[in-house]
Amino acid sequence: MIENLPDAMLLHILSFLPAKDALKTSILSKRWRHLWMSVSNLYFEEWRPDKFVMFMNSAERVMMCRDVPRIEKFSLSSHMLNSACINALISNALSFKVQDFSLRLVYVGVPILLPHHLFSCPTLTVLNLEEVTQFPCTACLPNLKKVRLSCCLLPHQQSLLQFFSGCPKLQKLILNRCFWRDANLGFISTPMPEPVDITQLSSTTCLPDLKELELSFCLLPYGQSMVQFFGDCPKLQKLTLKECQWGLAKCLYISTPMLESLVICDATSSSGCKVVISGANIKSFSYHGDLTTTYCLCSSSIVDACIHVSSKGMIEREGREKEVAHRLHKLIMECCNVKHLELSPDTLEVCFQSIRSQLIMSLGQCFL
């Protein structure tokens, strides 16, 4: 029977429920009447505009009846129908020394600035923001370790680096479908100069403790500035690049001294950019794409490699079989010292097509 469980276990179960559902348990019995007030995880979600007022009243009641001094996790997902109410709820949550903060807002009207103390909360360790378009130029988050930004309009790159400089303990950064305000400059400016080797860049360390970096569907303003961005992560161990666009960059160098794992999902729009990967400590390499980009893998330390060539039908329709086969052959040869190599069926077929065409050409020369 659930009634026989200790309060600590019941609170743990309630911590997985939305706040409004946890509140409803107060009618079950006398024991449950005040139990919900001690839940340390609060999840508020409401997407129906006609229920917004009721939703905010319920959220305000939950916050006012708190029976514990701290909130471990706080999550808010809603339409931004009343900015004053939303900001008041956020400020109230921050007063409980929240550690894990998640916010997803769909704006109706003009975007507003979030409370500035959200970006200066000393207890925050995890920050998850989605569809946020206004960021302050500076931040002071001394204990922040993980950041995930989705569908956000980021400030100018220098402002963004200044923002992250206020997060000295940041270890994991995820940017998903984010855009820089100056991203279009990369498409209308003059061609970029020749890329600079990362070992020759002299720049201050912006993210000294960052260990994991994931960029997904991001439009990056300048390839060369992203080289510098990678270079400012001396402890980076895992790098994931999914469907990113490099703008006008002709060559991108990925070389960080502590990098151990590299995952790349190629974007068809990144054609023309040569990617050079160098690292003495890379143990794992994974590639998934249609090889529109030339990859040079300069590392003899790789133990596990995974190569998946996708969109085989598109490659044939575009007449890129020979080009892809050449790039694939080069990439596989650079992984010749690995202990475990995984190739997808389409990858093997591309390899066999290359071998078959070479064999037919050789036999034809013999007959001649």
Side-chain angles (χ1 to χ4, degrees), residues 138-340:
T138 59
C140 182
L141 299 166
N143 294 303
L144 192 66
K145 295 183 178 179
K146 179 181 177 181
V147 172
R148 187 179 192 274
L149 305 179
S150 300
C151 303
C152 293
L153 181 61
L154 304 178
H156 299 287
Q157 192 173 16
Q158 284 303 118
S159 300
L160 184 65
L161 294 177
Q162 185 178 354
F163 177 88
F164 283 130
S165 66
C167 313
K169 294 184 179 180
L170 188 63
Q171 296 181 2
K172 186 172 183 177
L173 173 61
I174 300 174
L175 303 181
N176 178 42
R177 299 182 186 274
C178 292
F179 296 83
W180 271 258
R181 289 189 180 277
D182 55 355
N184 288 334
L185 296 178
F187 295 95
I188 61 176
S189 61
T190 56
M192 292 295 297
E194 289 300 315
V196 181
D197 193 328
I198 194 167
T199 59
Q200 299 177 2
L201 287 175
S202 58
S203 59
T204 57
T205 300
C206 175
L207 301 170
D209 288 336
L210 192 68
K211 295 181 179 179
E212 294 186 42
L213 175 62
E214 180 179 322
L215 305 177
S216 302
F217 297 94
C218 288
L219 176 60
L220 308 174
Y222 300 117
Q224 185 174 338
S225 55
M226 283 307 298
V227 171
Q228 183 175 351
F229 192 60
F230 294 143
D232 284 343
C233 311
K235 295 183 180 179
L236 188 64
Q237 297 177 2
K238 183 176 181 179
L239 175 62
T240 302
L241 304 174
K242 296 181 179 179
E243 304 292 344
C244 292
Q245 301 179 29
W246 309 119
L248 292 178
K250 295 182 179 179
C251 188
L252 174 70
Y253 288 90
I254 299 177
S255 175
T256 56
M258 303 298 292
L259 189 63
E260 296 180 357
S261 174
L262 177 62
V263 178
I264 296 178
C265 293
D266 209 354
T268 55
S269 57
S270 63
S271 179
C273 178
K274 180 180 180 181
V275 178
V276 179
I277 303 163
S278 177
N281 294 307
I282 301 177
K283 300 294 189 299
S284 175
F285 172 74
S286 177
Y287 174 83
H288 190 288
D290 53 9
L291 286 173
T292 56
T293 298
T294 301
Y295 289 91
C296 297
L297 193 58
C298 308
S299 177
S300 59
S301 60
I302 298 178
V303 177
D304 299 302
C306 176
I307 303 175
H308 286 202
V309 173
S310 59
S311 306
K312 177 178 173 293
M314 182 180 297
I315 292 173
E316 293 176 348
R317 289 193 298 270
E318 294 176 350
R320 298 178 51 244
E321 297 94 334
K322 291 184 179 180
E323 172 190 326
V324 172
H326 173 73
R327 290 177 176 174
L328 176 60
H329 177 263
K330 186 176 183 296
L331 190 58
I332 292 177
M333 291 303 296
E334 290 172 346
C335 297
C336 59
N337 293 325
V338 302
K339 293 183 178 180
H340 304 95

Side-chain angles (χ1 to χ4, degrees), residues 105-137:
L105 296 177
V106 176
Y107 291 98
V108 179
V110 181
I112 65 161
L113 280 174
L114 296 172
H116 184 73
H117 44 281
L118 172 61
F119 303 99
S120 59
C121 180
T123 59
L124 274 187
T125 58
V126 178
L127 180 61
N128 184 355
L129 300 178
E130 188 168 350
E131 299 191 40
V132 173
T133 59
Q134 299 288 335
F135 281 86
C137 295

Side-chain angles (χ1 to χ4, degrees), residues 42-102:
L42 295 178
Y43 304 98
F44 298 100
E45 182 175 0
E46 183 57 71
W47 295 111
R48 293 174 296 181
D50 58 318
K51 299 290 184 179
F52 181 79
V53 176
M54 185 184 302
F55 163 68
M56 291 305 303
N57 291 336
S58 175
E60 184 179 355
R61 179 188 173 191
V62 170
M63 297 301 297
M64 288 180 62
C65 296
R66 298 293 300 158
D67 196 27
V68 289
R70 300 179 67 91
I71 295 178
E72 293 183 9
K73 293 184 180 180
F74 177 87
S75 176
L76 173 61
S77 302
S78 175
H79 289 284
M80 177 62 86
L81 295 179
N82 189 316
S83 59
C85 292
I86 293 291
N87 282 350
L89 183 59
I90 293 174
S91 299
N92 199 353
L94 294 175
S95 67
F96 284 91
K97 302 178 181 179
V98 62
Q99 298 177 0
D100 187 327
F101 184 92
S102 297

